[in-house]
């Protein structure tokens, strides 16, 4: 059975009469065209969602597109609620000591790294910049937790801390929070996910 990649709409069909294929390379492999046997009159190909393909075909498609594997859909009787309920309750408890400890650690690390930059000779500046960049990542981690509402029970406090944490990064907190939550609602969906798209030809 010959297989052809396709995006959401049919990008190419197989011509049973000529025995040749005309296919434009799709932007994203969200569906697959499965060639229908020539004995079926008037039918050239059928579009099949990737998740419904057999394991061997998904493996072949993954290799074609440079991925290690393409997973299958969860069974219909497994919901996100079931997965959440299977997790230990400790992961849902907010820990103010850890939250504010991260703020103190980040402020101390950033301060130390800025001091290191101020006293370093020119040939050690790249190393000092690397240390400072790593320290400044702590601000993003704090803002990220505030955006996910996992820093505090107080949403106003989270908005204030998240905004202050993103300020040194010169990045607006609230638009990022909205877009990032959209990313988590559509995680790993190649078209809908806002955080990352693979480099395509």
């Amino acid at each position: 059975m010959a297989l052809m990649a396709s995006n959401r709409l049919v990008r190419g069909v197989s011509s049973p009469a000529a025995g040749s294929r005309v296919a434009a390379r799709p932007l994203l492999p969200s569906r697959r065209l499965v060639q229908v046997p020539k004995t079926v009159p008037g039918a050239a190909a059928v579009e099949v969602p990737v998740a419904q393909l057999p394991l061997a075909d998904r493996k072949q498609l993954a290799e074609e597109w440079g991925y290690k594997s393409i997973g299958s859909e969860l069974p219909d009787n497994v919901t996100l609620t079931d997965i959440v309920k299977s997790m230990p309750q400790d992961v849902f408890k907010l820990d103010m000591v850890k939250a504010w400890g991260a703020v103190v650690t980040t402020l101390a690390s950033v301060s130390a790294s800025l001091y290191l930059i101020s006293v370093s000779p020119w040939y050690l500046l790249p190393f000092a910049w690397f240390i400072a960049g790593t320290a400044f990542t702590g601000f993003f981690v704090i803002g990220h937790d505030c955006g996910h509402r996992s820093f505090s029970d107080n949403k106003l406090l989270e908005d204030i801390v998240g905004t202050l944490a993103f300020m040194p990064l010169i990045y607006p907190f609230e638009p990022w929070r909205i877009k990032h939550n959209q990313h988590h609602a559509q995680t790993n969906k190649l078209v809908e996910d806002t955080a990352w798209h693979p480099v395509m030809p």
Side-chain angles (χ1 to χ4, degrees), residues 146-188:
C146 290
H148 278 297
R149 303 302 187 203
S150 61
F151 184 85
S152 168
D153 288 323
N154 186 325
K155 290 185 180 180
L156 177 60
L157 177 65
E158 287 181 319
D159 286 342
I160 293 169
V161 172
T163 300
L164 292 173
F166 271 30
M167 276 180 161
L169 307 177
I170 315 173
Y171 208 85
F173 172 71
E174 197 63 23
W176 173 86
R177 183 183 70 78
I178 293 168
K179 187 173 181 182
H180 188 65
N181 285 335
Q182 181 183 351
H183 148 67
H184 277 287
Q186 307 291 337
T187 301
N188 291 337

Side-chain angles (χ1 to χ4, degrees), residues 3-199:
L3 294 176
M4 294 166 45
S6 171
N7 199 2
R8 291 172 181 263
L9 301 174
V10 175
R11 297 285 191 198
V13 294
S14 177
S15 171
S20 63
R21 263 193 271 198
V22 179
R25 187 164 177 142
L27 295 177
L28 299 170
S30 62
R31 292 193 175 275
R32 187 92 164 175
L33 279 179
V34 179
Q35 187 175 356
V36 178
K38 294 182 181 180
T39 55
V40 179
V46 177
E47 194 173 29
V48 178
V50 170
Q52 293 178 7
L53 290 172
L55 180 60
D57 292 342
R58 280 188 276 123
K59 184 176 180 181
Q60 177 188 348
L61 181 62
E63 289 173 2
E64 289 174 14
W65 286 90
Y67 295 100
K68 291 182 181 177
S69 65
I70 297 175
S72 59
E73 296 288 332
L74 283 173
D76 290 336
N77 62 342
V78 177
T79 65
L80 181 58
T81 304
D82 296 330
I83 295 170
V84 170
K85 285 180 179 177
S86 72
M87 299 170 71
Q89 288 302 309
D90 292 348
V91 301
F92 300 104
K93 293 179 182 173
L94 300 180
D95 188 335
M96 297 306 291
V97 173
K98 284 184 180 178
W100 288 106
V103 172
V104 170
T105 302
T106 297
L107 290 173
S109 300
V110 167
S111 299
S113 68
L114 292 176
Y115 175 75
L116 181 63
I117 289 172
S118 71
V119 298
S120 293
W122 67 269
Y123 53 86
L124 289 180
L125 281 176
F127 174 73
W129 294 333
F130 176 80
I131 297 295
T134 304
F136 270 82
T137 303
F139 283 129
F140 173 78
V141 172
I142 293 164
H144 181 268
D145 286 350
C146 290
H148 278 297
R149 303 302 187 203
S150 61
F151 184 85
S152 168
D153 288 323
N154 186 325
K155 290 185 180 180
L156 177 60
L157 177 65
E158 287 181 319
D159 286 342
I160 293 169
V161 172
T163 300
L164 292 173
F166 271 30
M167 276 180 161
L169 307 177
I170 315 173
Y171 208 85
F173 172 71
E174 197 63 23
W176 173 86
R177 183 183 70 78
I178 293 168
K179 187 173 181 182
H180 188 65
N181 285 335
Q182 181 183 351
H183 148 67
H184 277 287
Q186 307 291 337
T187 301
N188 291 337
K189 295 182 179 176
L190 291 178
V191 176
E192 295 88 351
D193 193 339
T194 60
W196 174 82
H197 290 152
V199 177

